Amino acid sequence: MRKGDHVRECSTLRAVSRPLVMGVLNVTPDSFSDGGCFFDEEKAIARGVEMVSEGADVIDVGGESSRPGAEPVSEAEELRRVLPVIEALAGKARLSVDTVKPAVAEAAIEAGATLLNDISASLWAIAARKKAGWVCMHMRGQPRTMQDDPRYDDVVREVHGFLIERARRAREEGVEEIWVDPGIGFGKTYEHNLTLLRHLPQLASAGFPVLVGTSRKGFLGRLTAANAGETVDVGDRLAGSVATATWAMLAGARMVRVHDVPATIQAATLVGDCRLPSPRVRTGTSVGGPSFGVGSEEVRTA
Ligand code: HH2
């Protein structure tokens, strides 16, 4: 296989009958929910393979935590973390790289990533030049300080306006595949997060496919707690994660970014089926019925 062939292989159009599921692979010691679990290269690769077997449509490889308060890592260290994992998983699934560093983005795409997950919403020129997809996420400030009293006059207008302006600019400058993501938890209070989730249908109607990441995030700890003032532990947020992912998909999100792939695939399948004109018939392992192209017209998948 020539260098780059796997990129083309992983970029072909495929019709899918449900919203897409992006599995999170944090090759970090300090991510908020799975820090240290997949810091070891072999464990990270095994986790990626596992998520592929669980049905993840995209594996999102990150080498720098963006949790509130996180300290940045050097370019060399981030490259050391993500490149061997991307190289090992290339050709097995569609890969995205979760980075804000131009050099890491370029190297990851060379190594086989075909989607640039850009929480800084600033790297579209690389996506255009490298013919990769681009995720444009909204963040207020930087991870280290973003949760220090974030304020908006109108969070929906400001976040949506920012995303649509950036996405249009990227399209004009040659990016063919653009996702917009409201950036749940990135410089937002509990109320901001819920308001943005409530207004997802509005964002989804703006003409760009929407990606949403709520998985295990802090606001769920408060949202799902039994009593005011309490918080549910990060390890006990599966129900809240799947419930909010399901809401997002019903509200028009075409992809959700999650740590718990099998449960989310079940929810995504349910959402896909609910949108079909007639239910699919399931016989044993085979699934019959009409093909339902959620995102298949303009969204590249593995
Ligand atoms: N959330 C996180 C990281 N990257 N990218 C997009 N597009 N949307 C998100 O909501 C998003 C993201 C934070 O989650 P996680 O990667 O699990 O944690 P950490 O940043 O601590 O590694």
Side-chain angles (χ1 to χ4, degrees):
M1 184 188 278
R2 280 180 298 123
K3 190 170 167 59
D5 277 1
H6 54 270
V7 176
R8 278 189 292 280
E9 270 176 26
C10 289
S11 303
T12 50
L13 282 167
R14 171 165 70 82
V16 287
S17 57
R18 54 163 175 75
L20 301 176
V21 173
M22 172 188 265
V24 178
L25 184 50
N26 286 321
V27 194
T28 59
D30 58 343
S31 287
F32 78 93
S33 81
D34 55 0
C37 295
F38 312 111
F39 193 40
D40 173 79
E41 187 181 311
E42 293 306 313
K43 284 188 185 155
I45 294 166
R47 176 65 184 141
V49 170
E50 182 179 51
M51 287 194 288
V52 174
S53 73
E54 290 170 347
D57 302 287
V58 180
I59 306 294
D60 187 37
V61 183
E64 178 177 64
S65 171
S66 51
R67 74 184 152 74
E71 292 293 338
V73 299
S74 72
E75 187 179 289
E77 174 60 12
E78 198 177 326
L79 284 167
R80 189 196 66 73
R81 293 178 185 181
V82 299
L83 279 192
V85 177
I86 290 174
E87 279 163 4
L89 295 176
K92 294 184 169 55
R94 186 171 195 200
L95 302 178
S96 69
V97 60
D98 185 351
T99 189
V100 296
K101 295 191 182 69
V104 176
E106 298 228 12
I109 294 168
E110 288 290 318
T114 61
L115 184 60
L116 174 48
N117 180 17
D118 177 12
I119 66 164
S120 71
S122 65
L123 303 180
W124 69 87
I126 294 173
R129 184 156 37 81
K130 294 282 191 184
K131 304 261 173 280
W134 182 56
V135 176
C136 172
M137 197 201 79
H138 179 275
M139 170 166 63
R140 169 68 54 89
Q142 297 299 317
R144 203 165 54 78
T145 52
M146 67 190 177
Q147 290 307 106
D148 297 349
D149 193 25
R151 286 169 194 243
Y152 301 82
D153 290 329
D154 179 338
V155 68
V156 173
R157 193 173 48 77
E158 288 169 55
V159 171
H160 290 188
F162 171 87
L163 291 173
I164 291 160
E165 190 266 321
R166 287 279 161 111
R168 284 187 181 146
R169 188 163 160 194
R171 189 169 58 191
E172 277 164 22
E173 294 183 22
V175 186
E176 286 178 11
E177 178 192 352
I178 301 167
W179 294 81
V180 291
D181 181 337
I184 299 298
F186 285 86
K188 280 122 193 157
T189 62
Y190 175 82
E191 285 78 16
H192 293 145
N193 290 324
L194 291 182
T195 304
L196 286 166
L197 286 176
R198 203 172 296 128
H199 286 81
L200 275 179
Q202 199 177 315
L203 183 60
S205 68
F208 295 96
V210 172
L211 166 66
V212 176
T214 59
S215 188
R216 301 182 185 172
K217 286 188 178 170
F219 81 106
L220 292 175
R222 176 169 158 192
L223 183 66
T224 56
N227 300 303
E230 292 177 0
T231 185
V232 171
D233 235 38
V234 72
D236 293 323
R237 295 180 188 160
L238 175 63
S241 300
V242 176
T244 47
T246 306
W247 159 252
M249 292 185 282
L250 287 169
R254 304 255 289 265
M255 180 150 66
V256 288
R257 181 182 181 277
V258 303
H259 301 84
D260 301 288
V261 171
T264 315
I265 298 262
Q266 288 184 11
T269 305
L270 181 103
V271 170
D273 269 18
C274 287
R275 287 184 179 161
L276 285 169
S278 59
R280 283 185 290 182
V281 181
R282 287 164 193 276
T283 48
T285 52
S286 70
V287 178
S291 159
F292 186 72
V294 180
S296 60
E297 310 85 8
E298 68 211 70
V299 175
R300 292 183 299 169
T301 65

